[in-house]
């Protein structure tokens, strides 16, 4: 399928505004309009624009009396017909909308819009409980009409218990679907991710519990309709948490490759991670918030304040293998964007490394400059993406890349509460959040962590901690002192084993997305 503007006779590219069909255009200034005498159809005298074929989502045939037939298929038409392009709305950089315009001249090449990358039949999982419980309503009002317009058929499963999507993907025949759509938050996406990866490895005869296993990517893409509390994955891959925008990305068949990290303990797969793997601060936060689900979404703010006041640090050893194949670095201020050069180039260099390993240099990677760091840490974070969200537009690691085969490992050493607060505030502004003496960041392709238990957590210290901060810290040792161990926050789920081994699998899954688009340069003639 072509991605550039449609190569057809010039008269076909002149568009007259009439209702007939539907296409889309990202909210950026790609259209160029002309003014002219208004009565001549389909000539440079009418309002006109050049529209990429890849942006068209549906077509309706229209006769001379204005009646139209919504076949949903692009075909050769002898009578006048039309299509619709997306226009910029409210100056949103990444949000898409759709509109309608009429193209009043037939062209035999327009059938080229149909391509194998566009989905025709989708499996849709809807979480009716996630976020504010609006998943089903969002899908029915904003997404389903667009899928119908684009002649996409769906099979819908409304989940009623945890891990239902994962279990379903292990059981059903998925060969008849062109993709899987999850309607919900990051937890719903994680279920679909685990089910799809697990099903793919089982079919390929690969044991995912083996930490050195080379995992096979799935041929199916995952679409995310955001309906959760944070929608971190959607926000970091599309640039907005708008449901209609995500639906349009699915319709046109966009494809975005994304890294996945496997987390192991004693040769047992614990979970997969695509966004945040956090120990210490974020691990304590998610563990405490799970006890307060009755509070709703405000539990994250409450648990965050409680964890900050507790100010626990944890002693342990971090070992990591630097990602020498990557083109960028965590502090180069070059964020991952649509058509990212860093991701493409890094993948090519990683493939060259793997070819060398296949020629007998496999053991070289295991002894290749592993770095070891011991210390007391307030937090240890590993991010495969920026982890951006509306509250933190830059995310935990603004220059992290989606498909470069690496993870950004962020080590926050023991420091004062005031300095740690300064670090956290940096997540909400444009300042370099790694510009602190107590913060280190590395781009890695593997890492291990082993906790070191301490003996400082006796009953007297617990009692003194309670007296100092009251009930806020009543479940933890005295603030500022080392606890025995924390838990890992793996994409919002708790991993109770502090000792883990992590490996990044380059571009293991694909999403119906194209990455965050750069802000267009202003056209002086527009």
């Amino acid at each position: 399928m072509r991605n550039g503007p449609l190569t057809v006779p010039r008269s076909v590219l002149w568009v007259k505004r009439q209702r007939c069909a539907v296409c889309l255009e990202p909210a950026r200034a790609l259209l160029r309009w002309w003014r002219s005498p208004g009565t001549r159809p389909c000539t440079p005298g009418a309002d006109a624009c050049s529209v990429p074929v890849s942006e068209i989502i549906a077509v309706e045939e229209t006769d001379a009396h204005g009646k139209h037939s919504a076949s949903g298929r692009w075909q050769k038409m002898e009578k006048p017909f039309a299509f619709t392009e997306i226009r910029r709305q409210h100056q949103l950089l990444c949000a898409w909308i759709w509109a309608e315009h009429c193209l009043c001249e037939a062209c035999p090449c327009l059938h080229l819009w149909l391509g194998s990358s566009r989905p025709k039949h989708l499996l849709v999982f809807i979480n009716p409980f996630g976020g504010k419980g609006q998943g089903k309503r969002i899908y029915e009002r904003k997404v389903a009409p667009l899928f119908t317009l684009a002649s996409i058929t769906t099979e819908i499963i409304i989940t009623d218990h945890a891990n239902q999507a994962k279990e379903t993907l292990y059981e059903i025949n998925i060969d008849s679907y062109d993709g899987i759509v999850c309607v919900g938050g990051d937890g719903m996406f994680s279920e679909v991710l685990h089910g799809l990866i697990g099903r793919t490895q089982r079919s390929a005869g690969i044991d995912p519990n083996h930490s050195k296993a080379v995992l096979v990517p799935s041929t199916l893409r995952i679409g995310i309709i955001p309906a959760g509390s944070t929608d971190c994955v959607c926000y970091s891959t599309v640039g907005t948490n708008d449901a209609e925008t995500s639906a349009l990305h699915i319709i046109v068949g966009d494809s975005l490759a994304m890294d996945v990290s496997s987390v192991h303990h004693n040769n047992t797969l614990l979970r997969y991670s695509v966004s945040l793997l956090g120990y210490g601060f974020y691990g304590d936060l998610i563990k405490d918030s799970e006890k307060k689900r009755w509070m709703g979404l405000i539990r994250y703010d409450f648990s965050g304040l409680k964890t900050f006041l507790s100010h626990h640090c944890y002693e342990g050893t971090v070992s990591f293998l630097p990602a020498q194949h990557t083109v960028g670095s965590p502090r180069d201020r070059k964020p991952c964007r649509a058509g990212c050069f860093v991701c493409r180039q890094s993948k090519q260099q990683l493939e060259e490394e793997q070819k060398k390993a296949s020629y007998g240099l496999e053991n070289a990677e295991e002894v290749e400059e592993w770095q070891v760091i011991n210390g007391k840490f307030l937090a240890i974070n590993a991010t495969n993406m920026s982890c951006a969200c509306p509250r933190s537009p830059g995310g935990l690691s603004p220059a992290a890349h989606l498909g470069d085969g690496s993870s950004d490992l962020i080590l926050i050493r023991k420091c004062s509460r005031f300095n740690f607060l300064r670090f956290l505030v940096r997540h909400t502004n444009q300042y370099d959040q790694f510009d602190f003496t107590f913060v280190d960041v590395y781009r890695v392709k593997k890492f291990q962590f082993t906790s070191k238990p301490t003996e400082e957590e006796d009953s007297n210290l617990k009692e003194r901690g309670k007296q100092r901060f009251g009930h806020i810290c009543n479940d933890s040792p005295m603030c500022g002192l080392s606890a025995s161990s924390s838990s890992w926050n793996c994409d919002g789920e708790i991993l109770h084993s502090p000792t883990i081994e992590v490996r990044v699998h380059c571009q293991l899954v694909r999403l119906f997305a194209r990455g965050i688009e750069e802000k267009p340069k202003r056209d002086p003639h527009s």
Side-chain angles (χ1 to χ4, degrees):
M1 181 179 66
R2 297 178 60 103
N3 288 324
L6 185 64
T7 305
V8 294
R10 183 177 179 84
S11 60
V12 177
L13 297 179
W14 304 106
V15 180
K16 185 177 180 181
R17 297 180 186 173
Q18 294 178 5
R19 178 182 175 85
C20 267
V22 182
C23 92
L24 71 88
E25 158 89 357
R28 49 194 167 93
L30 285 184
L31 306 182
R32 187 168 294 168
W33 296 87
W34 292 264
R35 171 184 296 230
S36 65
T39 54
R40 291 184 298 167
C42 303
T43 65
D47 286 343
C49 68
S50 174
V51 180
V53 178
S54 61
E55 307 301 292
I56 302 172
I57 65 173
V59 172
E60 293 179 350
E61 192 171 357
T62 302
D63 60 22
H65 301 288
K67 298 180 180 181
H68 60 273
S69 173
S71 66
R73 297 181 179 179
W74 194 275
Q75 53 188 314
K76 182 178 178 180
M77 301 177 184
E78 297 180 356
K79 298 180 179 181
F81 62 92
F83 63 87
T84 307
E85 81 281 350
I86 292 302
R87 302 295 307 279
R88 182 186 294 270
Q89 184 183 45
H90 305 307
Q91 302 297 317
L92 294 179
L93 173 60
C94 299
W96 288 7
I97 58 174
W98 65 274
E100 299 178 352
H101 289 284
C102 180
L103 178 62
C104 298
E105 183 169 336
C107 174
C109 348
L110 293 180
H111 69 279
L112 294 175
W113 86 290
L114 279 176
S116 59
S117 64
R118 292 185 179 236
K120 301 176 180 63
H121 187 48
L122 297 171
L123 176 61
V124 180
F125 290 100
I126 300 178
N127 179 5
F129 308 110
K132 298 180 180 179
Q134 298 293 312
K136 188 171 181 292
R137 178 177 175 272
I138 288 174
Y139 179 80
E140 292 176 345
R141 294 195 176 187
K142 296 185 177 182
V143 180
L146 288 175
F147 283 174
T148 301
L149 190 63
S151 298
I152 295 177
T153 59
T154 59
E155 182 175 338
I156 300 174
I157 298 177
I158 300 178
T159 61
D160 55 20
H161 63 269
N163 290 319
Q164 182 177 348
K166 177 181 176 181
E167 295 164 358
T168 302
L169 289 172
Y170 269 94
E171 297 170 357
I172 66 172
N173 179 15
I174 60 176
D175 296 335
S176 61
Y177 302 106
D178 300 314
I180 302 170
V181 176
C182 53
V183 184
D186 294 330
M188 185 78 252
F189 170 77
S190 183
E191 280 193 34
V192 171
L193 176 82
H194 280 78
L196 187 58
I197 294 178
R199 171 66 178 266
T200 304
Q201 307 320 307
R202 187 183 69 178
S203 301
I206 295 175
D207 181 10
N209 289 313
H210 197 295
S211 61
K212 297 180 182 180
V214 179
L215 303 185
V216 177
S218 173
T219 57
L220 292 181
R221 285 165 289 174
I222 302 176
I224 306 173
I225 303 299
S229 54
T230 57
D231 300 311
C232 170
V233 178
C234 184
Y235 200 93
S236 298
T237 55
V238 177
T240 178
N241 54 0
D242 176 66
E244 187 174 277
T245 298
S246 294
L248 294 174
H249 278 290
I250 295 171
I251 290 170
V252 300
D254 281 335
S255 183
L256 177 68
M258 186 171 66
D259 296 339
V260 178
S261 291
S262 58
V263 186
H264 293 82
H265 173 69
N266 290 339
N267 284 324
T268 300
L269 175 68
L270 299 180
R271 286 189 70 85
Y272 295 109
S273 173
V274 296
S275 54
L276 170 65
L277 190 61
Y279 183 82
F281 179 78
Y282 287 103
D284 293 346
L285 189 157
I286 196 67
K287 185 176 181 180
D288 186 78
S289 67
E290 284 297 302
K291 304 174 185 177
K292 300 175 175 59
R293 283 189 167 271
W294 56 271
M295 297 178 65
L297 298 180
I298 198 174
R299 70 184 185 272
Y300 296 114
D301 295 327
F302 180 84
S303 295
L305 176 61
K306 175 181 175 180
T307 304
F308 171 77
L309 293 177
S310 299
H311 200 63
H312 297 154
C313 62
Y314 301 93
E315 190 168 3
T317 300
V318 181
S319 306
F320 60 89
L321 183 63
Q324 298 180 351
H325 68 278
T326 55
V327 176
S329 69
R331 300 189 65 180
D332 60 11
R333 293 185 174 272
K334 295 180 180 179
C336 189
R337 292 294 181 259
C340 181
F341 168 79
V342 172
C343 292
R344 293 199 312 270
Q345 192 68 20
S346 298
K347 184 184 179 183
Q348 292 177 4
Q349 296 191 19
L350 182 60
E351 289 174 345
E352 292 178 2
E353 284 187 5
Q354 293 171 344
K355 287 181 181 178
K356 294 179 181 178
S358 65
Y359 287 109
L361 300 178
E362 185 175 0
N363 294 330
E365 184 185 74
E366 303 305 319
V367 296
E368 177 188 27
E369 298 185 14
W370 277 80
Q371 297 187 25
V372 180
I373 297 178
N374 297 297
K376 294 182 178 180
F377 305 98
L378 281 168
I380 299 173
N381 300 327
T383 64
N384 285 19
M385 58 178 61
S386 65
C387 292
C389 66
R391 286 190 174 185
S392 177
L396 298 181
S397 185
H401 287 267
L402 295 168
D404 66 344
S406 71
S407 178
D408 285 358
L409 181 63
I410 308 166
L411 307 179
I412 300 94
R413 298 176 181 272
K414 183 179 179 180
C415 64
S416 66
R417 279 191 189 83
F418 175 71
N419 279 334
F420 188 54
L421 178 61
R422 291 172 60 207
F423 168 75
L424 294 177
V425 170
R426 289 283 178 95
H427 294 133
T428 63
N429 56 41
Q430 300 298 320
Y431 294 103
D432 183 4
Q433 58 207 56
F434 304 130
D435 189 23
F436 294 101
T437 58
F438 55 89
V439 177
D440 298 314
V441 59
Y442 307 91
R443 188 151 286 176
V444 305
K445 57 183 177 181
K446 292 183 180 180
F447 78 91
Q448 301 172 355
F449 176 76
T450 304
S451 66
K452 180 180 179 181
T454 64
E455 299 179 356
E456 299 176 1
E457 196 173 357
D458 57 32
S459 58
N460 291 332
L461 291 177
K462 282 182 121 178
E463 186 61 30
R464 288 164 56 193
K466 291 178 184 179
Q467 294 175 359
R468 187 173 179 181
F469 286 102
H471 295 291
I472 292 181
C473 305
N474 61 1
D475 296 327
S476 306
M478 179 178 173
C479 299
L481 295 179
S482 297
S484 57
S485 64
S486 178
S487 301
W488 284 93
N489 178 343
C490 183
D491 294 357
E493 298 293 330
I494 302 173
L495 301 182
H496 295 285
S497 174
T499 301
I500 62 171
E501 180 180 354
V502 181
R503 176 182 179 181
V504 183
H505 301 269
C506 185
Q507 301 187 12
L508 185 62
V509 298
R510 286 189 170 271
L511 304 182
F512 283 107
R514 65 174 59 173
I516 300 176
E517 295 177 300
E518 291 282 4
K519 185 176 182 179
K521 295 181 179 179
R522 190 175 184 87
D523 188 350
H525 301 290
S526 60

